[in-house]
Amino acid sequence: MIPAQPLLEIKALNAGYGGIEVLHDIDIEMQEGEFVCIIGANTAGKSTILRAISRLVPNVRGTLRFKGVDLAARTAHDIPSLGIAHVPEGRHVFPDMSVEENLMLGAFTARKSTDLKQRMERIFELFPRTRERRAQLAGTLSGGEQQMVAVGRALMLQPKLLLLDEPSHGLAPKVVEEMHDAFVKIHQGGTSILLVEQNVGLALDVAARGYVLESGRVTLKGTSAELNANPAVRAAYLGI
Amino acid sequence: MKRWIAIVVIVLVAMAVPQVLNPSGYWMRVFTLTLLFAAMAQAWNLIGGLANQLSLGHAAFFGIGAYTSTILLLKFGISPWIGMFAAGALGGLAALVIAVPTMRLQGHYFALATLAFGEVARVIANVWTSLTGGPGGLSVPFVPPSFAAYSFKQLLPHAYIALVALIIVTVIFEVIRRGAMGYRLRAIRENAAAAEVIGIDTTKVKLQTAVISGVLTAMLGTLFAQVAVFFDPDTAFSAASISIRVALIAIIGGVGTAVGPILGAFFIVPIEELMNDLFSSGAAGLSQLIFGVILIVVILWRPRGLVTIFEALRARLQGRGAQS
Ligand SMILES: Nc1ncnc2c1ncn2[C@@H]1O[C@H](COP(=O)(O)OP(=O)(O)OP(=O)(O)O)[C@@H](O)[C@H]1O
Ligand SMILES: [Mg+2]
């Protein structure tokens, strides 16, 4: 039997900005259907990994493959059509457009699709508050609602892989919970997720396994249970 | 519906105006120039309003347009109607050449870089004497009047051509603004990071916009050459009286809206002409000073442009309607 092709294959990845290298020899592999997290302190380079996958970091060296496709040879605007949706750090909505317009723009590269209304319906089911606010300008939503719109917009693409960069940062605990419940549902629906979180407890709660990133290097990896039990992780990130 | 009625009325009025003016008089010239500058500000509005890149180099495209058709007419006897398309092609090419290195720049940096490109174009036109005639300028040669030759005894036909040009450029602007390209540009304007991750090719969209703007501006340069009859590099490639003026007209009128550049032109061009007329004999520079003061007052009063007067009026009318 041929071994299954990994969904995402990152090998010996080095990346940085200008002359400064931020990521050193990163190895990350994901199979289809997995829910994986990357945890680590501030400036460890977590966002840079996601940005490298989305080709938003100009300088990359090493292997970067998605379903066998060499991402390094692609440009940023090719990425969504390959089936990778990225929810960047911070609440990036189009402020002067309605919630519906924001969602519609998510399916921007899915030109031929006729089922956009159904896709939107599914997002409204996932985040009922976006349905209530569908006609409201996204810039006037609360922080949590904006983040729901940003995630919903990414889902409009019906991606194979969803990249989430600190989606719960700065949100009220109740909204964070709502958000993570939604991620579990999205994952159950068949979307693979790569989640970046500073809230390590939460990340290990929802993801099946994780990578620990320190100063641009993967220092530890394992199942969530293993990482949860690891004394170093507990001391550094869980404050126990 | 109401909107369409308003548009039809305005166009009809604009068509009637030349009929009551002296066919080759001073006011016909002012009216024609106003329409041309409105059209140019509308073309600028694509890049300045929709792509949100403040270009101060549009004189480059304008000058290229004026020179291309006039040189083709002088050297090969080609009608400016055809020369206009050659002008557009070269203008688009120039826009591409300027936009590729500058489009990634933001705010002031883009403004300064385009200003510099405009100045470079002016210097080249001054120096390349064999082609442009250098600082001595060019005269559009006299040809027997006919529509096909783009030659008329009076100014009147120029006014109508300028009106048609303004309508065409405005329609192009509006079609782009409301279409897929307008949506892309709006997404980039509202949140560049989000636009990137949903797969918008930000560089490509901005380049396309710049090229369309350059093509239209160069074609308008041809129309200007036919009205002006004589021009030199310092007028056709002028930073102050073309590049900055066109940007100013759009900004004063209201950037990013189709009505803004038209309002701006009908405000700025006649006032400027009037000022020059009233004060030119007395103290030189006084007209500039008064004009400057007027601009400052308007910008302080309507920072988002004269179009906001209509919004305020509409709000007040609706308020009154609600009361009664
Ligand atoms: N656009 C950029 N230009 C230059 N340096 C950058 C840029 N973005 C990030 N960096 C640097 O790269 C390093 C890693 O940043 P990154 O954003 O990947 O960290 P992070 O782990 O996501 O941090 P945080 O938890 O604060 O989001 C930091 O030192 C940062 O200063
Ligand atoms: Mg980050």
Side-chain angles (χ1 to χ4, degrees), chain A residues 56 77 80 86 92-97 101 105 108-109 153, chain B residues 183-184 186-187 190-191 193-201:
Chain A
L56 294 167
H77 52 89
H86 186 167
H92 288 290
V93 294
F94 300 114
D96 291 330
M97 296 190 201
E101 284 177 304
L105 271 173
F108 168 80
T109 46
R153 190 181 57 210
Chain B
Y183 246 100
R184 276 170 227 184
R186 196 173 147 203
E190 287 192 20
N191 191 325
E196 257 178 341
V197 294
I198 61 169
I200 293 177
D201 190 342

Side-chain angles (χ1 to χ4, degrees), chain A residues 145-182:
Chain A
E145 289 161 349
Q146 290 192 10
Q147 194 61 275
M148 291 172 192
V149 171
V151 173
R153 190 181 57 210
L155 289 174
M156 283 297 283
L157 200 65
Q158 296 195 318
K160 281 260 173 294
L161 174 63
L162 182 61
L163 307 175
L164 295 168
D165 197 344
E166 300 203 32
S168 51
H169 185 78
L171 301 183
K174 206 180 145 287
V175 186
V176 173
E177 221 169 277
E178 235 178 282
M179 201 58 102
H180 280 247
D181 287 347

Side-chain angles (χ1 to χ4, degrees), chain B residues 60 116-127 232-239:
Chain B
F117 266 106
E119 284 299 281
V120 167
R122 186 177 64 84
V123 171
I124 292 173
N126 266 313
V127 174
D232 58 21
D234 289 350
T235 39
F237 288 96
S238 167

Side-chain angles (χ1 to χ4, degrees), chain A residues 16-18 20 22-23 40-49 51 89 165-166 196 198 213:
Chain A
Y17 304 93
I20 303 158
V22 171
L23 299 177
N42 274 319
T43 76
K46 305 180 297 294
S47 299
T48 305
I49 293 181
R51 292 170 53 80
E89 195 171 15
D165 197 344
E166 300 203 32
V196 160
Q198 271 192 54
L213 197 67

Side-chain angles (χ1 to χ4, degrees), chain B residues 111-195:
Chain B
L112 285 179
T114 48
L115 186 67
F117 266 106
E119 284 299 281
V120 167
R122 186 177 64 84
V123 171
I124 292 173
N126 266 313
V127 174
W128 197 350
T129 317
S130 61
L131 185 72
T132 64
L138 285 185
S139 291
V140 177
F142 175 80
V143 272
S146 80
F147 186 80
Y150 201 149
S151 173
F152 308 105
K153 283 200 211 81
Q154 300 177 326
L155 266 175
L156 184 105
H158 288 285
Y160 283 110
I161 291 170
L163 179 61
V164 170
L166 172 58
I167 291 171
I168 291 174
V169 178
T170 301
V171 167
I172 291 175
F173 174 85
E174 211 36 32
V175 165
I176 289 176
R177 191 178 71 83
R178 292 173 188 216
M181 196 170 163
Y183 246 100
R184 276 170 227 184
L185 289 165
R186 196 173 147 203
I188 297 169
R189 214 162 60 225
E190 287 192 20
N191 191 325

